[in-house]
Amino acid sequence: MDNRLTVYRPEYEDLWFRKAMLEDEKTMSYNHAWGGTIDFPEDDWQSWYDHWIIKNEDKRYYRYLKDDENFVGEIAYHYDEELKGYIADIIIHDKYRGKGYGELGLKILCEIAKKNGIRVLYDDIAIDNKAISLFKRNGFKEEYRTEEKIILKKEL
Ligand SMILES: CC(C)(COP(=O)(O)OP(=O)(O)OC[C@H]1O[C@@H](n2cnc3c(N)ncnc32)[C@H](O)[C@@H]1OP(=O)(O)O)[C@@H](O)C(=O)NCCC(=O)NCCS
């Protein structure tokens, strides 16, 4: 059993790490088609925290991934009204990539979603994102694609 990562529910004060990830150019390069880095100023933290953590309405799940010492990334899913399904999200900070954390984090996210009663998980992923192979290796299959993105689906 690979137990190098633990799942951590961030406290409000821990949101500095999310801010650091979203503002890091290398971490966010996968998002280049939609502007790359994302501002996450402290003024936005409270409403974000309420929406994702406090009042998640069982439609949103958000956690940090932690190794022995540091926060290394985030896992999340949320219900998408248009898709009528849950969309997964995983980001590993660029500093911690290439160690298997992405793969392990995705497995953990799928297990948690399943435990929470979700039967199908989707991901919409930019067409040039190398992470597509990671998702396919872990049981996600292409549902359809547009010019910009591929929609992947996994039965949990
Ligand atoms: C996708 C992402 C989560 C992968 O994170 P990661 O921690 O680098 O993932 P892994 O280390 O598990 O795997 C990455 C690659 O490193 C390889 N690898 C795994 N362990 C390794 C190790 N110990 N040494 C060298 N390489 C390793 C894997 O085989 C994998 O190869 P691949 O490119 O063929 O898939 C990360 O790149 C990221 O945050 N990207 C931006 C966000 C994103 O695109 N998310 C997906 C859509 S929601």
Side-chain angles (χ1 to χ4, degrees), residues 4 21 26-31 74 87-94 96-105 123-126 129-135 137:
R4 288 181 302 156
M21 272 205 307
K26 284 192 181 156
T27 300
M28 295 304 291
S29 62
Y30 79 103
N31 193 42
E74 66 173 34
I87 300 185
D89 159 66
I90 176 162
I91 306 176
I92 300 294
H93 192 295
D94 181 70
Y96 304 107
R97 286 184 189 166
K99 297 164 175 255
Y101 287 171
E103 181 130 27
L104 181 55
D123 199 10
D124 57 344
I125 208 165
N129 190 330
K130 287 194 310 193
I132 290 169
S133 56
L134 170 66
F135 278 78
R137 261 200 323 271

Side-chain angles (χ1 to χ4, degrees), residues 1 4 15 28 34-35 38-39 51-52 64 71 75 82 91 115 147 150:
M1 178 64 190
R4 288 181 302 156
L15 293 186
M28 295 304 291
W34 292 276
I38 297 171
D39 285 339
H51 184 72
W52 278 91
Y64 283 170
F71 300 139
I75 49 173
E82 210 176 301
I91 306 176
K115 220 188 292 168
E147 268 175 34
I150 298 184

Side-chain angles (χ1 to χ4, degrees), residues 2-38:
D2 190 336
N3 55 5
R4 288 181 302 156
L5 293 180
T6 52
V7 171
Y8 175 85
R9 179 184 187 270
E11 300 293 338
Y12 178 85
E13 303 74 56
D14 299 321
L15 293 186
W16 62 267
F17 174 69
R18 180 157 205 273
K19 178 175 164 66
M21 272 205 307
L22 295 183
E23 293 180 354
D24 182 69
E25 276 184 27
K26 284 192 181 156
T27 300
M28 295 304 291
S29 62
Y30 79 103
N31 193 42
H32 68 90
W34 292 276
T37 57
I38 297 171

